[in-house]
């Protein structure tokens, strides 16, 4: 490769000597963000009681975070490209730690909601910076596969780990520790990142900030996430819910028009119109819809129907974590450089769908070993295998100056997918439960029979929603198999993400073919 090509691309031939140490701190930060999503849910009932938060307002503990995080992700990705990923990463960690301290010390609901919104703001800086650091530091195909295998396992399995940790902290200490636990994670990750990470030079995007794009994308994504969150509690026909969806569509359409016309767009359309990346964002978002809904239903099923404690519930999810780690680090990483990504993603989503299919057989007295254990193992194995190439491919072929926003799109598809999954599948479950109880409660003469019908109704709701999740995973598999047409990394000629592709193509970086 010519020296000119090296300078033009901003990436040197020599890999960063500290890249594996850096991966430890990047993975630690990612684990903290993913843990936080589930750990707070476990603590919510205790926090609500202590702070006197009403039932109507308690959703804002989750919603305040989701709105800030989902709405500001693209902006956070662009800031990472502008400031530099290392600086953005460290600032995001410091801010997340401070917001967590505020949440742990909350004395009323206003402090709690404010701290959660602040966590979302700094999470939106942190998450894209972490993923884009991996994208620019690991350029060798085999090393990239290993690095993204570890990252994918944490991204997929961290939520379930949060259930265990949240259960322990809430049961044996205090709900406040579900916030305070973030502080040591953040301090260690920030100190390590500051000392170890050496970001490749020349990869910044110093173009002026696209202010109209920032405003339109933030408002559009906030309206979309809030629309789905509100639909869960107020119904799909609620006037405000419908207004949010309409407003979101108008704002996001205006965003696309603006991005196609401005000189330095917040989200260069070349990042999402490339068919491989577009297919990955879409299939990943759909898979998250299915998975978030399942986490919710299985948590309720194990605690309410089966009577598990929060700690036991967390341990019940361990087979899923084991499956994800195996699928990501053993299957995905080993095969990533040997087969085309779609041949991992498509079958991975289908194996996860088979696991989901097993879970549609849930009943009140279902055996954990006979149904839940194999179902969760298959689900984890399939998701881990699919997530690993998806995470890696989503940032391949992107110029260094675009890596922040490309990484932000991965997080955006996950965040929006999570909001949709929770609202959509919860609505389906609630409707099926209501219908079942209405049809069967008449035949229940005694108190115990009525309670049994109530439990059966809940399980009927869960399984009805899981059937939809199976279908969603099959659609994700079809999209991955048809849209993602890149060859195996290192084995296919590739193109970059836009201007300057000549220099990018000369790099020994496994990137995507049109």
């Amino acid at each position: 490769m010519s020296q000119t090509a090296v300078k033009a691309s901003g990436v040197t031939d020599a890999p960063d000597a500290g890249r594996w140490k850096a991966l430890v701190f990047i993975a630690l930060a990612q684990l903290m963000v993913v843990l936080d999503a589930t750990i707070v849910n476990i603590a919510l009932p205790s926090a609500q009681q202590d702070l006197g938060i009403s039932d109507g307002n308690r959703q804002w503990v989750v919603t305040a975070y989701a709105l800030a995080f989902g709405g500001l992700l693209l902006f956070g990705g662009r800031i990472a490209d502008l400031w530099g990923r290392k600086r953005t990463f460290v600032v995001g960690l410091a801010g997340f730690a401070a917001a967590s301290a505020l949440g742990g010390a909350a004395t009323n609901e206003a402090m709690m909601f404010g701290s959660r919104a602040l966590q979302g703001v700094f999470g939106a800086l942190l998450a894209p910076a972490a993923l884009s650091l991996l994208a620019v530091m690991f350029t060798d195909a085999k090393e990239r596969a290993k690095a993204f295998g570890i990252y994918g396992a944490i991204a997929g399995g961290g939520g379930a780990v949060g259930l265990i940790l949240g259960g322990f902290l809430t049961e044996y200490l205090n709900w406040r520790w579900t916030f305070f636990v973030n502080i040591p994670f953040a301090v260690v990750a920030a100190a390590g990142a500051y000392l170890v990470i050496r970001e490749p030079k020349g990869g910044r995007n110093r173009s002026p900030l696209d202010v109209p794009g920032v405003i339109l994308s933030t408002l559009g994504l906030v309206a979309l996430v809030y629309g789905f969150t509100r639909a869960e509690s107020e119904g799909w026909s609620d006037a405000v819910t419908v207004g949010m969806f309409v407003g979101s569509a108008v704002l996001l359409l205006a965003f696309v028009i603006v991005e196609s016309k401005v000189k330095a767009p917040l989200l260069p359309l070349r990042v999402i119109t490339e068919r491989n990346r577009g297919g990955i964002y879409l299939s990943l978002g759909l898979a998250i819809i299915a998975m978030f809904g399942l986490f919710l239903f299985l948590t309720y099923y194990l605690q309410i129907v089966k009577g598990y404690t929060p700690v036991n519930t967390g341990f019940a999810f361990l087979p899923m974590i084991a499956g994800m780690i195996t699928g990501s680090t053993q299957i995905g990483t080993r095969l990533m450089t040997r087969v085309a990504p779609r041949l991992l993603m498509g079958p991975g989503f289908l194996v996860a769908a088979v696991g989901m299919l097993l879970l549609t057989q849930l009943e009140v007295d279902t055996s954990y070993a006979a149904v839940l254990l194999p179902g969760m193992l298959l689900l984890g194995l399939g998701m881990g295998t699919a997530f690993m190439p998806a995470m890696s491919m989503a940032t391949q072929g992107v110029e260094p100056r675009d890596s922040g926003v490309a990484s932000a799109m991965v997080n955006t598809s996950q965040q929006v997918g999570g909001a949709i999954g929770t609202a959509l599948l919860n609505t389906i479950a609630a409707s099926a439960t209501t219908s079942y109880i209405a049809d069967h409660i008449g035949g229940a003469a005694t108190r115990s029979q009525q309670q049994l019908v109530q439990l059966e109704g809940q399980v009927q709701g869960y399984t009805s929603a899981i059937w939809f999740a199976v279908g969603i995973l099959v659609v994700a598999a079809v999209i991955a198999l048809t849209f993602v047409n890149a060859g195996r990394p290192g084995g296919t000629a590739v193109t970059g993400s836009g201007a300057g592709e000549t220099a990018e193509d000369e790099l020994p970086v496994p990137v995507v073919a049109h």
Side-chain angles (χ1 to χ4, degrees):
M1 183 174 70
S2 68
Q3 290 297 316
T4 308
V6 174
K7 288 175 184 175
S9 65
V11 182
T12 59
D13 274 322
D16 180 5
R19 62 196 179 283
W20 291 107
K21 289 179 185 174
L23 175 62
V24 172
F25 300 112
I26 292 169
L28 188 64
Q30 172 65 11
L31 179 62
M32 179 190 72
V33 173
V34 176
L35 282 176
D36 189 73
T38 48
I39 206 170
V40 172
N41 286 346
I42 293 271
L44 184 53
S46 303
Q48 181 186 354
Q49 189 174 0
D50 264 15
L51 300 179
I53 302 172
S54 68
D55 285 349
N57 283 342
R58 70 179 173 189
Q59 62 158 329
W60 284 101
V61 176
V62 176
T63 305
Y65 177 84
L67 292 181
F69 187 68
L72 292 169
L73 271 167
L74 285 177
F75 180 51
R78 178 66 181 84
I79 289 293
D81 290 335
L82 182 66
W83 282 2
R85 290 149 203 102
K86 175 179 173 177
R87 183 186 299 173
T88 307
F89 183 69
V90 172
V91 169
L93 280 166
F96 201 91
S100 297
L102 185 66
T107 54
N108 54 51
E109 61 179 35
M111 268 183 81
M112 171 61 75
F113 301 155
S115 72
R116 291 292 285 160
L118 272 178
Q119 279 186 313
V121 169
F122 287 106
L125 282 179
L126 175 61
L131 189 54
S132 58
L133 276 170
L134 284 191
V136 297
M137 292 178 79
F138 289 89
T139 55
D140 174 76
K142 288 187 177 178
E143 287 194 351
R144 187 180 176 94
K146 288 178 185 174
F148 276 90
I150 294 165
Y151 186 88
I154 289 170
V161 176
L163 293 171
I164 299 173
L165 189 57
F168 265 109
L169 292 172
T170 305
E171 238 176 88
Y172 300 116
L173 290 172
N174 184 289
W175 66 265
R176 295 182 185 278
W177 283 97
T178 61
F179 286 88
F180 291 145
V181 75
N182 290 331
I183 298 170
F185 276 100
V187 169
V188 171
Y194 184 78
L195 295 171
V196 171
I197 291 176
R198 185 170 60 83
E199 191 177 344
K201 293 179 182 178
R204 290 195 195 178
N205 184 344
R206 298 184 185 276
S207 305
L209 194 61
D210 168 22
V211 176
V214 169
I215 294 170
L216 289 169
S217 68
T218 301
L219 292 177
L221 288 170
V222 164
L224 183 64
V225 172
Y226 184 59
F228 279 108
T229 304
R230 189 176 173 87
E232 185 186 348
S233 57
E234 303 298 327
W236 295 90
S237 58
D238 174 71
V240 177
T241 302
V242 174
M244 284 292 163
F245 286 137
V246 172
S248 172
V250 171
L251 288 163
L252 292 177
L253 179 61
F255 171 68
V256 171
I257 293 168
V258 167
E259 298 308 275
S260 67
K261 296 185 182 303
V262 296
K263 284 185 180 179
L266 174 69
L267 174 63
L269 296 183
R270 60 181 176 263
V271 171
I272 54 172
T273 52
E274 199 279 316
R275 68 178 287 170
N276 289 282
R277 279 191 292 276
I280 283 165
Y281 296 144
L282 191 55
S283 61
L284 201 57
L286 287 169
I288 293 291
I289 288 174
M291 200 168 153
F292 259 64
L294 184 80
F295 266 142
L296 187 70
F297 298 137
L298 282 187
T299 302
Y300 279 126
Y301 174 78
L302 290 168
Q303 289 194 34
I304 295 173
V305 179
K306 305 295 279 185
Y308 284 30
T309 65
V311 172
N312 289 342
T313 300
F315 279 113
F317 277 98
L318 279 178
M320 191 185 296
I321 302 173
M324 280 180 180
I325 292 171
T326 304
S328 188
T329 61
Q330 300 305 310
I331 300 172
T333 299
R334 291 173 188 273
L335 296 180
M336 179 70 182
T337 55
R338 300 179 188 178
V339 301
R342 68 178 179 276
L343 298 181
L344 288 173
M345 290 178 64
F349 288 138
L350 289 175
V351 168
V354 172
M356 284 274 198
L357 197 60
L358 274 174
L359 296 172
T360 60
Q361 306 308 304
L362 287 180
E363 293 177 2
V364 172
D365 58 352
T366 293
S367 159
Y368 177 85
V371 176
L372 286 155
L373 177 62
M376 286 199 281
L377 267 175
L378 286 172
L379 183 68
L381 203 62
M383 287 294 199
T385 302
F387 274 12
M388 188 262 140
M391 291 283 187
S392 178
M393 287 284 296
T395 51
Q396 281 183 188
V398 180
E399 294 177 48
R401 66 193 177 115
D402 289 339
S403 66
V405 287
S407 301
M409 275 302 299
V410 177
N411 289 287
T412 301
S413 66
Q414 290 177 308
Q415 186 65 24
V416 173
I420 295 171
T422 305
L424 179 64
L425 296 180
N426 230 1
T427 305
I428 292 165
S431 176
T433 296
T434 303
S435 177
Y436 182 92
I437 292 172
D439 290 345
H440 293 81
I441 199 71
T446 66
R447 174 78 174 159
S448 60
Q449 287 175 334
Q450 289 171 354
Q451 287 176 336
L452 180 62
V453 169
Q454 296 277 356
L455 290 178
E456 286 173 345
Q458 286 186 32
V459 176
Q460 179 67 32
Y462 303 153
T463 54
S464 299
I466 292 170
W467 270 110
F468 274 84
V470 171
I472 291 168
L473 279 175
V474 171
V475 173
V478 171
I479 289 170
L481 289 167
T482 52
F483 276 67
V484 182
N485 66 351
R488 63 185 177 84
T492 308
V494 293
T495 61
S497 60
E501 287 172 9
T502 307
E504 185 81 356
D505 287 344
E506 293 181 36
L507 292 170
V509 182
V511 283
V512 182
H514 285 285

